[in-house]
Amino acid sequence: MKSFTTHTGKVVAMDRANVDTDQIIPKQFLKRIERTGFGEFLFWDWIRNDDGTPNPDFELNKPEAAGATVLLARRNFGCGSSREHAPWALDDYGFRVIVAPSFADIFYNNCFKNGMLPIKLSEEQVEELFQRAAKYKGYQLTADLDSCTLSDEHGFSTSFEVEPFRRHCLLNGLDDIGLTLQHEDKIAAYEAAQAGA
Amino acid sequence: MSPPAARPRTLFEKIWDNHVVHAEEGRQTILYIDLQLVHEVTSPQAFEGLRIAGRQVRRPERTVATADHNVPTTDRSLPIVDPISKQQIDTLEANCKEFGITYYGLGDQRQGIVHVMGPELGYTQPGMTIVCGDSHTSTHGAFGALAFGIGTSEVEHVLATQTLLQYKPKTLELRVDGQLGRGVTAKDLVLYLIGQITTDGGTGYCIEYTGEAVRGLTMENRMTVCNMSIEAGARAGMIAPDQTTFDYLKGRPYCPAGAAWDEAVATWRTLPTDEGATYDKSLVFDGADIAPQVTWGTNPGQVASVNATIPKPTDYADATDQKTTAQSLDYMGLVGGEAITDLKLDRVFIGSCTNARIEDLRAAAEVAKGRKVADTVHAMVVPGSGLVKQQAEKEGLHKIFTEAGFDWREAGCSMCLAMNPDKLAPGERCASTSNRNFEGRQGKGGRTHLVSPAMAAAAAVAGHFVDVRDFE
């Protein structure tokens, strides 16, 4: 798995709540059998007009969003389907960090499996970041997983919470399956006990 | 001396405790998984991961696969037209063969939506941990199982280790007292609950549905309720097993039989939440307050009673809610203030893992019987599995539907997510018995209103929403 230690990147602010995984990657792109190459399909129905031309009103198409790697959104980001294609698409597009007041459970979990960092802040802090993103040209945020801080160059700094084990795995890019298989004896013992029960 | 009395536990806690392989302070618990269901869309990358790492499927007999998301619902004797869909389905079949997994393919009468098929064949049983790379895995919680959706990396983890790394969710009791009124169904019940707690009100929780109104539901109704737990953001939803559960399961192909059955039932009877056990949060509702529900927006929490008017952004105090409501109304071609019964429909879809079981089809057929679908509406019925279709045809339901002008299809997920050719055209308004009214879910620009099967059938006939309780 990819590791994550620290990342500084340009912010794109998406002023929407309940962004669901159907929007992040629509179903017609779930037919592929690979893990890669989903970035070009990200936000497919929002990013372009019906005639296929770019939708100039969509946040990711604004000139100032070019090269953004930090996505700022409102509450319940990533709700809906369990499709891991959603974090694959965000990752492939170039996003490394997503900041929101809350995330849907499965999506949140899927991000960690792909070396991306979802950061939960309070509604007030997220609002503050939205205002800063509007105020400062080329607004950037730095996420430091080692110290669990999110900061900008204009005096904003906050700590965020990540479960210690998740943080450990992401910092070191550890393979979950490999970790679990270190406990193979316990799995075998569990199965033996069940069979004997 | 008698042992100290065990601490009272909830249904969730009992199942969790029974499946802990390894727990360590500050770490995710390694939880044993009794059953993994696999489908074509979220599994190819997981099997590929196994191959790259040179790993095997640890317990192929605890893994069952079918193709459902991406399959055509037209004539099964014809080849699949979309080559990419065909490749994905062929890949699943090849993976199952390579790793020794039971696969229910398109030619098999038992093929169907994975969450219809699992319970129907008796794979789903009380007390189990069940996962699938699909968020609606929560359906299986209706049997008193801990069942939830996972991502593809986790699918691979379960294939390789038969376990999953999990943080323990909190517990949320949603108690519905009293009785549901005439014409009010399990779908209305769960839509109402999601409306009450909102689309992320269950995040971080495993829900247990309790109370008289829940206890009175049939197994298929209970599956409808648990199915939509994810639409409230919950990890899982469950209902304690009881005689209704056992009666449904008895004699199913993959359920224990004979003495093993009696033993299993005795164990299952110990699962329900103990007297005195507490949930992290409990909310109480009254079944009598619930009317038939219709969603008006683009998430399942945006829902109202059929006899209500659609809210306006200014009805909300919170700035994000106002903006979300405005965005949803705009997408839905609404402004707020419209009477729901004035909404005219272009399409009706009866199907999905939420509402495509035999009882759902019977409820819809009862309304459709002797009536005609409105000229302005195209309506389709997609059974949840080959066995549901077979049963419906045995009962003559297909005749009722086709005579009324409904399109009668083969089993699959179909227009719930419109991954196959069944989809809405831009701007089309649809009454759907499925689970998600997200933008574009049923086709780009399509406008989905979630309802019960009876409400969908009534809307198909009337050409607009009607209160099924007044439908004569």
Side-chain angles (χ1 to χ4, degrees), chain B residues 272-289:
Chain B
T273 296
D274 296 325
E275 183 114 13
T278 53
Y279 301 87
D280 291 300
K281 192 172 165 184
S282 283
L283 298 170
V284 181
F285 304 90
D286 188 342
D289 291 342

Side-chain angles (χ1 to χ4, degrees), chain B residues 77 111 172 188 207 220 233 326 337 372 406 409 436-437:
Chain B
S77 62
Q111 176 269 342
L172 168 62
D188 304 304
I207 297 173
E220 295 194 357
K372 291 280 178 207
F406 286 84
R409 311 293 285 250
R436 289 194 174 128
N437 50 347

Side-chain angles (χ1 to χ4, degrees), chain A residues 15 22-23 27 30-31 34 46 50 75 80-82 84 105 109-110 163 180 184 186 190-191, chain B residues 18 32 45 58-59 82 88 152-154 157 167 235 318 321 323 417 419 436 439-441:
Chain A
D15 192 5
D22 274 80
Q23 307 316 315
K27 65 268 175 176
L30 308 186
K31 298 178 185 181
E34 302 86 21
W46 284 352
D50 289 341
R75 70 177 81 120
S81 149
S82 65
E84 199 162 317
D105 201 46
N109 203 26
N110 282 341
E163 293 90 344
T180 298
E184 208 281 328
K186 296 191 182 75
Y190 179 91
E191 288 178 330
Chain B
N18 283 345
Y32 197 77
Q45 297 87 351
R58 183 181 176 88
R59 298 294 298 271
D82 179 347
Q88 198 173 51
T152 297
S153 296
E154 293 178 311
H157 190 284
Y167 287 106
R235 175 87 56 86
D318 175 87
D321 285 341
K323 181 154 188 184
L417 83 166
M419 204 171 158
R436 289 194 174 128
E439 285 185 29
R441 172 84 177 177

Side-chain angles (χ1 to χ4, degrees), chain A residues 34-72:
Chain A
E34 302 86 21
R35 265 176 191 263
T36 51
F38 288 96
E40 61 179 298
F41 310 123
L42 182 72
F43 294 118
W44 182 262
D45 289 342
W46 284 352
I47 218 162
R48 52 181 61 65
N49 296 313
D50 289 341
D51 63 4
T53 56
N55 169 10
D57 296 331
F58 185 58
E59 293 88 336
L60 265 57
N61 286 336
K62 302 254 164 89
E64 61 269 27
T69 56
V70 178
L71 182 61
L72 181 64

